[in-house]
Amino acid sequence: MSAQLAVGTYRCRDVAQSVAAALSAGVTWVDTAPNYAFGTAESSLRPLLGACPHVRVSTKVGFVPDSDRRAARAAGVLPYDHDRGHCLTRPYIAWQVARSRARLGRVPDLVFVHNPEHGRPDRTGPACCGC
């Protein structure tokens, strides 16, 4: 496999315009997250991704955006002890992936875990299996 040129949407002022310019320059991968652009990045990509099905997209799970907090609580997937910043419980991750899928208009090609070290209460030692 060869490297692919990608565009990130973390600090884009206009996500759709920036990604459209990158796609016209030959980019084949877009990276985004539910919290980028004040919670609007994924939904603003939907028309572009719909028009360019060959473009791959990645997003992230684990971070709890302010824009999603109320909906996550209402869905019963955000425990109050995980309410500040990050949540790596299976129900929350599944809910967040489903929400990203709806916003993007398709299944993400890759999903990153956002800051997995926040899942450890002491933040010391190995973050997962010790690898």
Side-chain angles (χ1 to χ4, degrees):
M1 181 173 167
S2 61
Q4 295 179 328
L5 188 59
V7 62
T9 61
Y10 178 50
R11 295 194 179 215
C12 292
R13 288 189 179 133
D14 185 328
V15 171
Q17 182 181 21
S18 297
V19 171
L23 296 179
S24 64
V27 165
T28 58
W29 194 288
V30 179
D31 178 62
T32 193
N35 56 307
Y36 292 178
F38 303 103
T40 66
E42 290 180 327
S43 57
S44 68
L45 289 170
R46 186 180 182 133
L48 293 168
L49 295 172
C52 303
H54 66 283
V55 173
R56 300 181 77 187
V57 63
S58 58
T59 191
K60 295 159 194 75
V61 295
F63 184 80
V64 181
D66 290 337
S67 58
D68 287 351
R69 184 168 279 116
R70 183 174 290 142
R73 278 193 200 138
V77 297
L78 185 61
Y80 281 95
D81 61 336
H82 286 82
D83 193 22
R84 303 194 121 222
H86 289 80
C87 182
L88 296 176
T89 65
R90 287 178 186 248
Y92 181 74
I93 289 173
W95 178 85
Q96 199 170 44
V97 169
R99 198 160 171 95
S100 289
R101 178 183 183 179
R103 288 174 174 163
L104 293 165
R106 62 188 252 195
V107 175
D109 295 289
L110 179 65
V111 178
F112 291 98
V113 175
H114 188 276
N115 297 111
E117 71 277 8
H118 289 281
R120 294 188 50 86
D122 60 1
R123 293 196 190 177
T124 62
C128 60
C129 60
C131 47

